[in-house]
Amino acid sequence: MNRFSLAVSGGIARVTEAALGPYQTAVIRIGFSATWLLFLLRELPHRHELYGPDGPWSWDLAQQLVASNGSFTALMWSDGRVWFEIVYALAVLSSALLMLGWRTRTMSVLFMAGVLSLQNRSVFMGDGGDNVLHLMSIYLVFTRCARVWSLDAKRAARDRAARARGERVTDRTGPALWGVLGFVLVAVTLAGRMQGDWLIPALLWTVWVVLALWWLVGRRARTGEPRVLLDVIANIVHNGALLVIMAEACLIYATAGWYKIQGSRWQDGTAVYYPLHLEYFSPWPALADLLSASGTMVMLVTYGTVLVQVAFPFTLFNRRVKNVLLAVMMTEHAVIAVVLGLPFFSLAMIAADAVFLPTGFLRRLGGRAARARDRLRRRGGRTPLPGQRAHESPEATHVGFGA
């Protein structure tokens, strides 16, 4: 067998045998769910004006827009205040549970439904980060993002240990969730509420059927081949989604950078000066004045922003340069969060950047977090079980509906 054939077979084996980037996808899951959760909690007092019945973008206007663009939003199923509160509460709950990694596959679907329902209800509420969150909420459904740093990973480890001891493991929560959500899905479809574009309804039905198939194969199959086949398919879908997430992040930076190059203010090095002096983007006027006091500093930041955004996709071929630019971009977003008052945009972009973080760095970060958690438990009088660390969970197969 020649070298090319060996490379091809090795690549196929790598894509099919494992879900790549388990730590990166876990960070993405935690980052985007935490961003959306914090946003929903901050806007809790203003939720009726933003997305509810008291908003300037009325239910009738939203209904006309949805009818024209075919977007998915559960808030168009009823104009009642009670229904709005239910959808908002489910969006908050699904975000929190996805962040913790509890029944991740189901929660990722509910998280996507919550994001799309609220954002498509009032499309003019957002600061740019909502577009990234909108797309990533869909991509997360296709990933196996609970392999590490999740309650699902701990549950899978406990189930494996129980099976090794010869105990029988029964999952009642997964089938119950599947039954309840299936009933809702069937009822909504029969009521004719699944109108508009076919993509999201088809995705909801597909995930529901696949979860049933996964459970049946895990419980009823006489041999291990069907489960191995499903694992291979799940790995391929996960790795494909991970590639799309990486491509999306590169596309965002490349597009932003090349559009900036065409702007005259970016060409003469003064573009950064103007947003610092807009009232809407100046939560700290004194800080903005301090940063814009030096013309040389403004010019360096302006040109540096364009250079980093245009160059970043090309630095993926050099790990060291990529890591340096990644740190620069994350720092830049942190500065934007403080100086321009755009915390959720910055959090969304930092979460998207996290897909490129080195695995070694994430493992060390997880280890430090686990040690800090153990110290807190010891101070609280609780002794952790030996070897019970989330960051050390093996990349083993998930059980049941948390796969």
Side-chain angles (χ1 to χ4, degrees):
M1 186 178 293
N2 56 37
R3 185 177 300 176
F4 176 76
S5 299
L6 288 174
V8 171
S9 61
I12 293 174
R14 182 173 174 78
V15 171
T16 58
E17 290 178 356
L20 303 178
Y23 293 92
Q24 287 79 0
T25 49
V27 171
I28 293 173
R29 183 198 84 234
I30 295 170
F32 281 109
S33 57
T35 300
W36 185 237
L37 176 62
L38 292 174
F39 174 79
L40 294 178
L41 293 178
R42 192 195 73 169
E43 301 299 342
L44 190 63
H46 314 291
R47 63 189 183 281
H48 295 127
E49 291 77 16
L50 288 176
Y51 302 111
D54 299 334
W57 191 253
S58 66
W59 193 82
D60 291 334
L61 289 174
Q63 193 174 38
Q64 295 177 34
L65 180 62
V66 169
S68 63
N69 62 18
S71 57
F72 171 87
T73 170
L75 289 178
M76 290 294 99
W77 297 351
S78 172
D79 61 349
R81 187 178 295 268
V82 174
W83 176 243
F84 168 77
E85 298 291 357
I86 291 174
V87 173
Y88 200 94
L90 286 176
V92 172
L93 181 62
S94 62
S95 300
L97 293 178
L98 180 63
M99 181 177 65
L100 296 174
W102 185 81
R103 304 289 168 173
T104 309
R105 183 67 66 199
T106 302
M107 290 305 120
S108 67
V109 175
L110 293 179
F111 175 76
M112 176 193 70
V115 170
L116 299 183
S117 294
L118 291 171
Q119 289 188 353
N120 290 335
R121 167 62 176 84
S122 299
V123 295
F124 299 109
M125 300 295 176
D127 52 18
D130 56 311
N131 295 325
V132 179
L133 186 62
H134 192 105
L135 293 171
M136 295 300 177
S137 67
I138 299 175
Y139 300 154
L140 275 175
V141 175
F142 297 95
T143 64
R144 310 183 80 175
C145 55
R147 310 294 265 179
V148 296
W149 298 344
S150 69
L151 296 178
D152 282 347
K154 290 185 176 182
R155 178 170 56 87
R158 288 196 302 267
D159 290 349
R160 287 193 301 272
R163 288 192 180 92
R165 295 191 300 267
E167 300 175 6
R168 183 178 180 180
V169 177
T170 303
D171 180 21
R172 295 184 176 88
T173 305
L177 278 174
W178 181 85
V180 171
L181 297 177
F183 174 79
V184 174
L185 187 59
V186 171
V188 169
T189 303
L190 293 178
R193 300 297 185 181
M194 289 292 191
Q195 299 176 352
D197 190 76
W198 61 270
L199 176 61
I200 300 303
L203 179 57
L204 296 176
W205 275 105
T206 300
V207 173
W208 188 67
V209 172
V210 167
L211 287 177
L213 179 61
W214 193 280
W215 185 85
L216 287 173
V217 168
R219 297 302 186 276
R220 306 299 182 189
R222 297 181 178 179
T223 62
E225 285 79 4
R227 183 56 183 267
V228 171
L229 176 61
L230 290 181
D231 263 332
V232 168
I233 295 174
N235 290 336
I236 294 173
V237 172
H238 165 93
N239 295 330
L242 183 61
L243 179 62
V244 170
I245 291 173
M246 297 172 68
E248 186 73 42
C250 290
L251 185 62
I252 290 172
Y253 284 116
T255 303
W258 286 106
Y259 270 108
K260 285 181 174 66
I261 288 177
Q262 302 175 44
S264 59
R265 294 294 176 265
W266 291 97
Q267 292 175 6
D268 61 27
T270 62
V272 171
Y273 176 85
Y274 298 99
L276 291 175
H277 293 275
L278 292 174
E279 183 178 357
Y280 182 77
F281 295 112
S282 297
W284 314 98
L287 181 59
D289 292 338
L290 178 63
L291 294 176
S292 60
S294 171
T296 302
M297 179 62 66
V298 170
M299 182 187 67
L300 291 176
V301 173
T302 301
Y303 287 151
T305 299
V306 176
L307 178 63
V308 168
Q309 290 183 346
V310 172
F312 179 73
F314 302 100
T315 64
L316 299 181
F317 300 101
N318 188 298
R319 182 175 301 178
R320 293 183 178 178
V321 178
K322 181 263 293 181
N323 291 339
V324 171
L325 257 64
L326 194 59
V328 171
M329 289 193 302
M330 288 185 169
T331 303
E332 180 184 19
H333 288 305
V335 172
I336 290 174
V338 176
V339 177
L340 299 183
L342 296 172
F344 300 108
F345 165 78
S346 298
L347 284 174
M349 292 308 303
I350 290 174
D353 294 341
V355 72
F356 300 106
L357 287 174
T359 300
F361 168 78
L362 292 176
R363 289 176 65 92
R364 289 192 298 272
L365 185 65
R368 292 176 181 176
R371 288 192 292 272
R373 179 199 62 195
D374 293 344
R375 285 196 295 268
L376 290 175
R377 284 181 174 178
R378 284 194 293 268
R379 290 177 183 176
R382 294 176 59 189
T383 303
L385 295 177
Q388 193 175 35
R389 295 177 181 270
H391 69 286
E392 294 175 357
S393 301
E395 297 174 26
T397 303
H398 283 292
V399 179
F401 290 79

